[in-house]
Amino acid sequence: MTDDPPGPDDLAALAGTDWAEEFRAVPREHFIPDAAHASYMGDEPSHWIDRKTDPATWQRAVYSDTTILTQVDDGQAPLTEETATTSIDPSSSSTAPSLVAEFLDLLDPFPGDRVLEIGTGTGWTAALMSERLDAENVYSIEVDEQVAEQAAANVKRSGHSPHLRVGDGADGWPEAALFDRVHVTCGMREIPYTWVEQTRPGGVIVAPWAPAQALGHKLVLTVTGDTAIGRLGGRAGFMMMRGQRHGYPTPVGDRRASAGRVDPMRISCAGPGLEMAVAAFMPGVAVNGLGSGDDRVGLRHPATGSYALAVRSDDGVKARVGEHGPRSLWVEFEAAYLKWLSWGSPGLERFGVAVTSEGQSIWLDDPANPIGKV
């Protein structure tokens, strides 16, 4: 006797009690292509899935806690078993169900709430919200025409009919405002003020916020009128919003070598609170290596073509630093690290974000204590 094949009940178990009913009612299989690439939340290696050649493996991946890659290179290259692992630009996916549930829990919509979703993707979350709130109350925007076309077919197949639009999510959906909730499915460096304007006072914006384009964090903002204020939660890795990608411009100028004062490994082992200090003092700078426990940390500032890579020296005392461009990023980074230490190395839970018409800022402990604009 064999076990039953996995199905919606398995994902309902991942969703917990709040969204279990919707996870059962909206089967994920309606939103996954026949051929794709699955990455598991656990230790199981990622692999190619093909419904036609191995339906059992496809079914197991769809109804497991997997992120399933559905597009690379903004659709300019086909998704194949080869490009799924060699492309440097994954551009659309179906997020792991446990993470979907976490963000929907944070969104916490009431019956009858009107929700604006930024990033339709496969359409699964739009359908889940339609199941709970009624499709008339769900508005979802997708920037990619190919992705949007497939999402429309997916949600129709699932029996749902939310409002769908192709466009830049940063613009919101002004003629349909005001919204009670804004659900963001892509990484953000900057929260567009448009969303604050289109959210009812007391409403909530939930987004994966990645100011340094690192792994990112769950951010819940409450709109208090002309301002949105909120705190940061746990980690959340999402593809960046297309209009906010950093990119890798050509380094400017010749390489400069120097010795740093601080051990890069010590910095790479620092807590995620350091990321907020770096974001506040070095806006627009992307950081690689924080939280890795590695012996190197990399920095880049695309706007100026400045780069820095610091590697732990053999004696473990000083860093070997190589830099390009007009900014001395490692010197600035060390200053941000030492400032964070002087505050007592505050953890992520002590930081928050405020968004106004003048931009966004990071605060420490209290919104009245901003430490820098991002």
Side-chain angles (χ1 to χ4, degrees), residues 39 85 91 104 156 192 207 248 283 336 346 359:
S39 300
T85 56
S91 50
L104 290 174
K156 182 178 180 180
Y248 291 85

Side-chain angles (χ1 to χ4, degrees), residues 148 325 363:
W363 47 268

Side-chain angles (χ1 to χ4, degrees), residues 6-32 41 59 61-67 94-109 117 122-133 158 160 183 185 238:
D9 283 345
D10 296 272
L11 296 193
L14 291 172
T17 56
D18 286 347
W19 286 86
E21 183 178 341
E22 288 78 11
F23 273 55
R24 287 192 186 94
V26 186
R28 193 187 187 198
E29 63 189 76
H30 293 313
F31 302 87
I32 304 301
M41 293 293 282
Q59 178 91 355
V62 169
Y63 288 111
S64 299
D65 203 13
T66 52
T67 290
S94 175
T95 302
S98 63
L99 192 54
V100 169
E102 287 177 23
F103 271 86
L104 290 174
D105 284 342
L106 293 173
L107 196 70
D108 191 24
E117 180 176 61
T122 65
W124 190 40
T125 51
L128 289 168
M129 291 188 292
S130 296
E131 181 71 21
R132 170 170 291 196
L133 304 172
S158 74
H160 298 86
H183 179 249
T185 69
F238 283 73

Side-chain angles (χ1 to χ4, degrees), residues 51 96 101 124 149 151 200 293 303 338:
R51 191 176 196 173
W124 190 40
E149 182 179 1
R200 194 183 314 279
L338 295 173

Side-chain angles (χ1 to χ4, degrees), residues 54-92:
D54 190 349
T57 297
W58 184 91
Q59 178 91 355
R60 189 175 75 84
V62 169
Y63 288 111
S64 299
D65 203 13
T66 52
T67 290
I68 298 180
L69 181 65
T70 57
Q71 188 196 66
V72 296
D73 300 330
D74 297 344
Q76 298 303 304
L79 178 65
T80 65
E81 189 169 3
E82 180 182 1
T83 61
T85 56
T86 60
S87 172
I88 62 171
D89 292 314
S91 50
S92 191

Side-chain angles (χ1 to χ4, degrees), residues 61 99 119 126 163 225 267 271 282 299 304 356 372:
L99 192 54
H163 301 277
I267 290 178
M282 303 175 68
L299 307 162
T304 61
T356 70

